[in-house]
Amino acid sequence: MDFEAIKKAAEGYRADMTRFLRDLVAIPSESCGEEGVIRRIAAEMEKLGFDKVQIDGEGNVLGWMGTGDRVIAFDAHIDTVGIGNIENWKFDPYEGYENDTDIGGRGCSDQEGGIVSAVYGARIMKDLGILPEDISVLVTGTVQEEDCDGLCWQYIVNEDFGKAEAQRRIEFVVSTEPTDGGIYRGHRGRMEIRVDVHGVSCHGSAPERGDNAIYKMADILQDVRALQENDDSDENEIKGLVKMLNPKYNPEHWEDARFLGRGSVTVSQIFYTSPSRCAVADSCAVSLDRRMTAGEPWDYCLDEIRSLPAVKKYGDDVKVSMYMYDRPAWTGLSYPTECYFPTWINKANAPHVQALVDAYHGMFGTERIGTPAAMPAREGRPLVDKWTFSTNGVSIQGRYGIPCVGFGPGAEAQAHAPNEITWKQDLVTCAAVYAAAPALYKGKGDEDVCEYRGGKTNNDIK
């Protein structure tokens, strides 16, 4: 493979990629409002000569290059979070800016830069004639990820392909989420848990006549905090989540858990009902953000909350459940799913991981590269690593076992932050690696490439 020719081709598209990304940033595209960006991506794909471009029922854009039966996909979610407090921004988040090295604006790292590199990576494959005849490349610009990661790929797998067909045809998917210059082989999962507490209202002048749901919830929240902050020593009634790093409590998956990092739980929202400000609250509810390491499937996490001393103390007055998501896409489609996003890890030597490693090494050597401004986040970290946050891989590999691997422009630390930036060199580097990877891929064979997959045995959630 002529790695220098690929690098030269990617460098030749630097200005085009910069322009394309700035166009995308200028179009607000929060979850469920992505139509403008989707149509702009479709236009770029058509201009660059993709063989087929379609927008599916959920509003994802799918661009095809090649006609082979085997599929290698490159995924980028193109929805963004909001801008937050505009006073925290030093520049207009949608007008953005650029200089010789950087591009600024909402979504440039998380994660519209990824679709730019993927689209141009596919074009380079066509320019240089390096796409194997038996492989089609699929570039997906996907929606609703910030709201419900992986929902888009549930739709793509089940509706655009059909589950069995997707699992047969798709060799692997490259997630183009930002990876700080590394190649990522997994991340923790997550789920959204709700705890509801029942009480009885009464006049606030005589609170003893009622049953204050907020007081009950206060006890429960102390137990939730202990679950997060305690260690796993024998004297603790509530063993902290750090216990999953200990072979004693996680004998099958403690090594995987140490790779991913411990799970976590935090209270993210609180709600209540009360007849008035001078009455006892008759209900209280909280949302819990639960991050899951290896060995923590969804039912285990629900049972863990149900087993907290304060939850058991209040018995039938407490309900622990999982959230559902059914917000309509920009097309109007509602595609309900439970808010469970499985943990996944690849084997380090999996063929699809190795294809990216070989492409990267062939063009850029064995060390992470990047602009000086980005390097503090990258120094000291191995090239093959994992994300801190969650991605569409929760469905691609976590639910369906379709191999997934991450390599994308930008930095995790820029995600959801004001003054978000990415680096032009990252766009070029990623486009080059994407272009080379399909021809270097040796095939998945019959071996399961999953090191751990939280959704392998318990996706049938009722």
Side-chain angles (χ1 to χ4, degrees), residues 362-378:
M363 285 181 281
F364 304 107
T366 58
E367 301 297 325
R368 285 186 181 220
I369 63 171
T371 58
M375 284 307 293
R378 299 170 173 179

Side-chain angles (χ1 to χ4, degrees), residues 183-241:
I183 295 167
Y184 286 0
R185 62 183 182 98
H187 58 69
R188 295 179 302 167
R190 72 180 188 92
M191 64 186 298
E192 298 173 3
I193 299 173
R194 183 177 170 111
V195 182
D196 286 89
V197 175
H198 174 72
V200 178
S201 63
C202 69
H203 199 284
S205 64
E208 68 278 2
R209 297 173 183 165
D211 185 13
N212 197 316
I214 292 177
Y215 287 165
K216 293 178 179 178
M217 184 62 78
D219 290 344
I220 293 170
L221 293 184
Q222 289 302 314
D223 284 0
V224 171
R225 186 173 183 178
L227 191 62
Q228 169 64 19
E229 297 180 358
N230 283 0
D231 61 26
D232 59 0
S233 59
D234 291 341
E235 56 267 27
N236 284 328
E237 180 182 9
I238 299 174
K239 306 289 188 295
L241 295 179

Side-chain angles (χ1 to χ4, degrees), residues 360-432:
Y360 186 99
H361 285 177
M363 285 181 281
F364 304 107
T366 58
E367 301 297 325
R368 285 186 181 220
I369 63 171
T371 58
M375 284 307 293
R378 299 170 173 179
E379 282 186 315
R381 298 178 65 180
L383 180 64
V384 179
D385 206 347
K386 78 279 185 182
W387 281 287
T388 301
F389 57 37
S390 181
T391 75
N392 282 333
V394 297
S395 284
I396 298 166
Q397 186 156 342
R399 282 181 180 267
Y400 301 118
I402 297 169
C404 187
V405 61
F407 184 66
E412 279 191 81
Q414 293 296 317
H416 303 187
N419 308 304
E420 182 179 353
I421 64 172
T422 196
W423 295 272
K424 293 179 180 180
Q425 181 58 48
D426 280 17
L427 300 178
V428 173
T429 299
C430 289

Side-chain angles (χ1 to χ4, degrees), residues 191-197 217 220 224 286 288 298-308 311-312 315-323:
M191 64 186 298
E192 298 173 3
I193 299 173
R194 183 177 170 111
V195 182
D196 286 89
V197 175
M217 184 62 78
I220 293 170
V224 171
V286 295
L288 304 181
W298 67 271
D299 43 1
Y300 169 90
C301 295
L302 290 178
D303 288 342
E304 188 174 54
I305 300 299
R306 291 170 181 147
S307 297
L308 293 174
V311 173
K312 293 196 292 186
D316 292 341
D317 286 344
V318 184
K319 178 184 177 183
V320 179
S321 60
M322 189 191 311
Y323 275 97

Side-chain angles (χ1 to χ4, degrees), residues 8 37 55 133-134 275 285 308 429:
K8 182 178 179 180
V37 161
I55 296 173
E133 290 186 2
D134 63 337
L308 293 174
T429 299

